[in-house]
Amino acid sequence: MRRGVRAAATTVALGLLAVGCGGTGSGGAGGRDTITIGITADPGNLSPLTSLTKITSLLNRFSYDPLVNVEPDGKIVSGVAEKWTTDAVSATFTLRRDVRCGDGRPLTASAVAAQYNYILDPKNTSPLLGLAVTPGTVATADDATNTLTLRTPEPTPFLLRGTSGLPLVCPSALASPDSLTHATDGTGPYRLTESAPGDHFTFTRRPDYIWGPNGVGAAELPERLVFKVVSNESTTANLLLAKQIDIAAVNGADRVRLTAAGLKYRIQRDPLGMLLFNEAANHVTADPQVRWALTAALDLKQLGAVATGGKGAPPARIATTMLPPCQADAVTGNLPPHDKARAAAALRAAGWEKSGGRWTKDGRQLSIVLPFPSTSGSQVVSAVELAVAQWNSFGVKVTRKPLTSATTGEVLASGEWDVSWTPVALTQPDQLIPFFSGPPGPDGINFGSVDNPEYQRLVGLAMAKPDLSGCDEWTAAEAELVKRVDVVTFVDSLSPYFNTKGTTFAIDGAGIVPTSLRRGRG
């Protein structure tokens, strides 16, 4: 498989481990031309080159443009590039000449090529390699025509669509990557102007911004955005009702009173209930019968209901948000059924015996270490506790390991876990490849050391077909991961992003669309 990836051990790729998914906030809205948006936690490191958790990615959307944008309906529209052509192994982009960095200098084609080459350089251990940038890509530029050309060593079906996932940084930032940890340096419509870690982050509109998707410019956008940090959803609901914040996602019981009060909302669909298994040789979960039994011992439908407050939906794909390019169902009918008797039979077939209410083999008790997202809200924590109780009653010892946005990548890369409740959120099926093939952490993001030959074979077939023509193979490949219990995906969240009167916005797979925000009178 050609998608070998190196990744920093303390990061998780593409914004996409949904630790702290959904936003909440506190504090006062700052006037008619300020929109206050709630987030659940401090993003910590803001660098789009190294820290790609969901909250970091949400904030960075407002400061960094991609080459092209993908609209909520899947249509590809302009970004920094105004024109493009593409085939199976290449894409050429003509950049707009009016795109400016914060220091007033133009963003050139060679500057974008330099970022691609930075990510492609193994010594930089970029988590974007294999996700937003295909390994082996050759990036060249012609500043005279302001064109960038990307060539891949093998057919890359989602090459054009995938460029929308790369936030473009300015040359001054690329020369000093550490400067992005607590600052922004891109061509996006906003720049970070105030940072109060743990409390709020203020972004101010760039008056010169005129190169947004479909021609959106600064004159249409609010002057300031304030991202407020608070973890309590009841507090969030109170602040929405008091109009002290304008937009926030509320997933729990408080959504009922917000709806009753007449607040409007838009729905964001995200993977939420997802179990990854550590298949390294020294783990009990290396045995597919053990993985099957552990899954069959759980009432996944009940866990999903608890995790979402009964407001979730069964997933049809692995890790994809909103409107996936390939939409056929790869999950239903492929998950192990909830059947404790069959789970017990699977363990016995694998050489385990039950004595004193516990499963043992060769004098070793069946025990697992379970990392879980402790900052994703009380409902998810309750669902994890229920899973632990179900496993305990089945005879499995469970050690819980709480994760935060800052610790997720480090813990998974360490390999010191067996089953992890870790929802991954992606936008296209080829982005799954480094999670389920290639090197494990810390050299890659195949955290579970998965080696599924049939998945790899089907991916090879899919990669040879352009864009959506390979959907049958992508669907079959995902189904193989589910059948072999390399991953268990059992519920998606349907998170309502509530907004106060007069505030409007659009939602896509990555959250709020930056250039969609508007604030009228209300």
Side-chain angles (χ1 to χ4, degrees), residues 329-336 482-483:
D329 193 337
V331 178
T332 303
N334 293 322
L335 287 169
V482 179
K483 291 175 184 177

Side-chain angles (χ1 to χ4, degrees), residues 68-252:
V68 299
N69 290 281
V70 179
E71 294 192 322
D73 63 1
K75 181 182 178 182
I76 298 174
V77 298
S78 65
V80 164
E82 59 183 350
K83 296 186 296 183
W84 51 87
T85 59
T86 186
D87 57 33
V89 294
S90 69
T92 298
F93 302 87
T94 301
L95 275 59
R96 293 180 56 139
R97 292 190 179 275
D98 55 0
V99 178
R100 294 291 185 271
C101 292
D103 60 9
R105 297 180 182 180
L107 183 73
T108 62
S110 59
V112 178
Q115 181 174 345
Y116 271 87
N117 290 324
Y118 174 91
I119 293 167
L120 287 159
D121 189 339
K123 73 180 183 183
N124 294 319
T125 62
S126 174
L128 289 164
L129 183 60
L131 291 163
V133 178
T134 300
T137 295
V138 175
T140 58
D142 181 350
D143 284 342
T145 58
N146 216 25
T147 56
L148 168 77
T149 298
L150 305 175
R151 297 186 184 278
T152 58
E154 298 177 44
T156 304
F158 299 106
L159 176 58
L160 174 62
R161 193 179 299 270
T163 63
S164 68
L166 180 63
L168 299 177
V169 305
C170 286
S172 55
L174 197 62
S176 180
D178 290 345
S179 67
L180 296 175
T181 302
H182 301 293
T184 58
D185 191 358
T187 65
Y190 292 88
R191 61 187 181 92
L192 178 66
T193 53
E194 184 182 16
S195 174
D199 185 73
H200 72 274
F201 299 82
T202 300
F203 288 72
T204 302
R205 181 184 65 198
R206 293 182 51 179
D208 60 338
Y209 188 80
I210 57 172
W211 49 86
N214 290 322
V216 173
E220 303 170 64
L221 304 176
E223 182 179 349
R224 280 178 302 277
L225 306 176
V226 179
F227 291 88
K228 295 291 292 182
V229 182
V230 68
S231 59
N232 186 288
E233 281 204 337
S234 293
T235 301
T236 300
N238 292 338
L239 294 167
L240 279 164
L241 292 171
K243 297 184 178 180
Q244 293 184 36
I245 56 176
D246 298 298
I247 301 172
V250 176
N251 297 302

Side-chain angles (χ1 to χ4, degrees), residues 34 62 66 78 112-113 119 128 133 146 156 187 206 248 339 347 353 369 403 437-438 454 472 474-475 515:
T34 297
F62 293 86
S78 65
V112 178
I119 293 167
L128 289 164
V133 178
N146 216 25
T156 304
T187 65
R206 293 182 51 179
D339 191 326
L347 285 183
E353 298 178 350
V369 175
L403 298 175
S437 63
E454 183 62 8
D472 286 349
W474 288 118
T475 300
T515 53

Side-chain angles (χ1 to χ4, degrees), residues 3 16 21 34 50 71-72 83 90 200 203 222 261 267 314 338 352 358 390 422 449 465 484 508 520:
R3 292 264 181 155
L16 310 197
C21 62
T34 297
T50 59
E71 294 192 322
K83 296 186 296 183
S90 69
H200 72 274
F203 288 72
I267 292 292
H338 176 46
W352 294 85
R358 292 291 179 182
Q390 291 180 357
T422 309
S449 300
K465 297 186 176 183
R484 212 185 75 151
D508 64 11

Side-chain angles (χ1 to χ4, degrees), residues 188-437:
Y190 292 88
R191 61 187 181 92
L192 178 66
T193 53
E194 184 182 16
S195 174
D199 185 73
H200 72 274
F201 299 82
T202 300
F203 288 72
T204 302
R205 181 184 65 198
R206 293 182 51 179
D208 60 338
Y209 188 80
I210 57 172
W211 49 86
N214 290 322
V216 173
E220 303 170 64
L221 304 176
E223 182 179 349
R224 280 178 302 277
L225 306 176
V226 179
F227 291 88
K228 295 291 292 182
V229 182
V230 68
S231 59
N232 186 288
E233 281 204 337
S234 293
T235 301
T236 300
N238 292 338
L239 294 167
L240 279 164
L241 292 171
K243 297 184 178 180
Q244 293 184 36
I245 56 176
D246 298 298
I247 301 172
V250 176
N251 297 302
D254 291 287
R255 65 198 290 177
V256 175
R257 60 190 178 105
L258 293 175
T259 303
L263 269 70
K264 303 297 183 182
Y265 59 87
R266 290 185 177 273
I267 292 292
Q268 165 84 16
R269 181 168 184 151
D270 283 310
L272 182 63
M274 183 179 296
L275 301 177
L276 305 180
F277 293 87
N278 194 334
E279 301 179 25
N282 60 331
H283 290 263
V284 293
T285 42
D287 187 334
Q289 289 181 292
V290 172
R291 299 197 301 271
W292 196 95
L294 288 172
T295 306
L298 295 175
D299 187 336
L300 296 176
K301 185 175 181 180
Q302 186 181 35
L303 295 180
V306 172
T308 63
K311 302 294 185 180
R317 307 293 299 198
I318 299 173
T320 49
T321 65
M322 300 297 280
L323 185 66
C326 299
Q327 298 178 39
D329 193 337
V331 178
T332 303
N334 293 322
L335 287 169
H338 176 46
D339 191 326
K340 288 186 176 182
R342 290 179 63 186
L347 285 183
R348 291 191 179 96
W352 294 85
E353 298 178 350
K354 197 168 190 179
S355 176
R358 292 291 179 182
W359 292 98
T360 61
K361 181 179 181 180
D362 301 327
R364 178 186 181 188
Q365 183 176 342
L366 180 53
S367 61
I368 57 175
V369 175
L370 173 69
F372 68 95
S374 63
T375 58
S376 286
S378 59
Q379 292 179 163
V380 170
V381 173
S382 295
V384 171
E385 291 174 350
L386 178 59
V388 171
Q390 291 180 357
W391 272 323
N392 279 330
S393 69
F394 180 62
V396 180
K397 180 182 178 181
V398 183
T399 301
R400 287 173 289 182
K401 182 177 288 189
L403 298 175
T404 66
S405 182
T407 63
T408 298
E410 182 176 4
V411 170
L412 293 183
S414 74
E416 297 176 0
W417 56 278
D418 300 290
V419 185
S420 181
W421 183 311
T422 309
V424 180
L426 307 170
T427 57
Q428 54 200 51
D430 61 330
Q431 292 171 341
L432 275 178
I433 297 172
F435 285 97
F436 295 105
S437 63

Side-chain angles (χ1 to χ4, degrees), residues 40-53:
T40 55
D42 189 307
N45 177 10
L46 284 171
S47 173
L49 296 174
T50 59
S51 180
L52 305 178
T53 60

